[in-house]
Amino acid sequence: MDPEVLHQETTGDPRALQRALSAYRAPRLARSVFELLVTMIPFGLFWFLTWASVSAGYWLGLLLVIPAAGFLVRLFMIQHDCGHGSFFPSRRANDWVGRALGVLTLTPYDLWRHTHALHHAHSGNLDRADEGGIDTLSVREYQALPRAQRLRYRLYRHPLILFGLGPVYLFMLRNRVPVGFMRAGWMPWLSTMGTNAAIVLVVIAMMSLVGVGTFLLVHLPIAILASSIGVWLFYVQHQFENTCWAHDEEWSFREAALYGSSCYDLPAPLRWMTANIGVHHVHHLASRIPFYRLPEVLKDFPQLREISRLTLRQSLHCARLALWDEERRRLVPFEHANAETPPVRP
């Protein structure tokens, strides 16, 4: 295809680009099985090595927690593709592999698949709740809050909460009940309770093999670190300064997908470990593309590398962003709200 046409489709017509990306949707069974094996086997191996190192010295085990957590994150990304129906050609294979991986990632797969579809459908729409997203107030909404509620929002947006305590709460507690879907029929309860039951069986089996204390010493740090990494990735995929958010009357699914999701340009090892989830603008525009085909898209559409590009170093500054400035149409830190703060309500 002519490069000028590619450029036009990439930057000028998201609808045409979306049509062009449909050519990359077909998953390859052999490649999918390979990706699953090269993720599951190393995860099991590093888990075993972490357990074996406990007797030699717990500090050595803590070092091994890092790669183990990395592979657990990668398993979640495979589960994520299963939820989009993009990992295997068969929907049944996608769903059952996704449910099995949900036991390891502490995520009720069917309920998560539903809420994640809502996230994709409304991402960047300021008039729709982002199901499973990170709450973000506008500058005006924040300034209108009483002092106590401002403090509560500041605590919620603090990095220690967002990327520390928050992920632990989300994966270990909130995912144990269908919060927000208590009266939404049988599916949320079946998904949540079925996952809980499977988790209990796996935990009991592992504790009987290695001991209660040893299991907790090994698995809790892995699960906690993996959950923090996962939430960080989700955060920088949409919470960057020049993201594209809009109200209902101006919001466009394709515009929000392409310009409201980042292109997280990670070093190659981290890109592999996170299953190319950083190519998030392409993923939101064409979510049926398997993660292992996203590099093909960037190769054929090189202009996409520069849209909403965010390097690892640049992403660290995103942790300070906390409010949506509707006049400047960008995310800003709290300092921008303090510059012209109206009288505080008691």
Side-chain angles (χ1 to χ4, degrees):
M1 185 177 291
D2 184 78
E4 291 189 7
V5 176
L6 283 178
H7 179 76
Q8 181 181 2
E9 291 186 61
T10 301
T11 59
D13 190 352
R15 184 186 296 271
L17 175 61
Q18 187 181 42
R19 288 197 299 267
L21 294 180
S22 64
Y24 301 84
R25 290 174 51 173
R28 297 159 180 165
L29 179 59
R31 177 67 182 274
S32 297
V33 171
F34 172 78
E35 294 290 349
L36 182 59
L37 291 177
V38 298
T39 308
M40 181 68 77
I41 293 173
F43 171 71
L45 176 62
F46 278 109
W47 201 102
F48 173 80
L49 291 174
T50 306
W51 165 70
S53 70
V54 169
S55 58
Y58 189 59
W59 292 109
L60 175 60
L62 283 180
L63 291 177
L64 294 170
V65 160
I66 298 173
F71 280 103
L72 185 55
V73 169
R74 201 169 198 270
L75 287 173
F76 184 90
M77 298 310 170
I78 292 175
Q79 173 195 311
H80 167 267
D81 266 24
C82 289
H84 283 289
S86 63
F87 194 66
F88 292 111
S90 163
R91 175 170 179 174
R92 179 175 296 181
N94 279 311
D95 286 345
W96 282 107
V97 170
R99 290 175 186 128
L101 293 178
V103 177
L104 297 177
T105 63
L106 306 179
T107 304
Y109 168 79
D110 291 279
L111 176 57
W112 174 86
R113 183 183 62 183
H114 174 69
T115 59
H116 192 64
L118 294 177
H119 160 70
H120 270 257
H122 306 304
S123 181
N125 190 324
L126 292 167
D127 295 318
R128 299 289 188 96
D130 186 0
E131 189 63 47
I134 295 170
D135 293 340
T136 306
L137 297 179
S138 70
V139 172
R140 292 175 184 173
E141 288 171 336
Y142 174 75
Q143 290 176 334
L145 290 177
R147 188 184 303 273
Q149 290 187 33
R150 283 196 200 180
L151 177 60
R152 183 170 63 181
Y153 182 71
R154 277 183 172 269
L155 288 173
Y156 168 75
R157 297 288 303 203
H158 194 281
L160 289 178
I161 301 297
L162 274 182
F163 312 119
L165 295 178
V168 173
Y169 164 73
L170 172 63
F171 284 94
M172 297 189 181
L173 298 177
R174 193 177 190 272
N175 279 355
R176 306 285 63 82
V177 291
V179 175
F181 294 88
M182 299 287 194
R183 300 181 180 180
W186 58 268
M187 184 277 288
W189 286 101
L190 179 61
S191 175
T192 305
M193 295 305 130
T195 303
N196 290 347
I199 290 171
V200 168
L201 290 176
V202 171
V203 168
I204 290 174
M206 293 302 298
M207 285 182 171
S208 67
L209 288 173
V210 304
V212 175
T214 302
F215 174 80
L216 294 176
L217 283 173
V218 172
H219 196 68
L220 275 181
I222 294 173
I224 290 171
L225 180 57
S227 65
S228 292
I229 294 171
V231 170
W232 169 256
L233 290 171
F234 183 80
Y235 178 86
V236 297
Q237 287 159 5
H238 299 286
Q239 301 257 336
F240 55 98
E241 184 177 2
N242 294 312
T243 187
C244 177
W245 295 358
H247 287 285
D248 243 341
E249 60 274 12
E250 297 180 337
W251 181 82
S252 160
F253 170 82
R254 296 174 183 85
E255 294 283 338
L258 191 57
Y259 302 107
S261 306
S262 65
C263 181
Y264 200 14
D265 191 4
L266 293 170
L270 295 181
R271 200 182 311 138
W272 184 88
M273 189 65 81
T274 57
N276 300 314
I277 196 64
V279 192
H280 210 64
H281 55 340
V282 176
H283 168 66
H284 261 256
L285 191 61
S287 61
R288 292 294 298 273
I289 298 176
F291 74 80
Y292 50 78
R293 300 200 65 182
L294 288 172
E296 295 178 44
V297 174
L298 294 185
K299 180 181 178 181
D300 295 342
F301 296 81
Q303 298 89 349
L304 287 171
R305 295 179 183 272
E306 301 305 319
I307 295 178
S308 303
R309 181 174 179 267
L310 198 64
T311 65
L312 182 58
R313 184 175 181 178
Q314 290 170 335
S315 72
L316 300 179
H317 297 285
C318 294
R320 298 179 61 248
L321 303 176
L323 300 166
W324 176 249
D325 189 325
E326 297 212 33
E327 293 182 0
R328 300 171 63 192
R329 298 178 74 105
R330 64 180 56 193
L331 285 169
V332 296
F334 282 113
E335 290 78 4
H336 287 252
N338 295 336
E340 299 181 6
T341 305
V344 178
R345 291 158 49 194

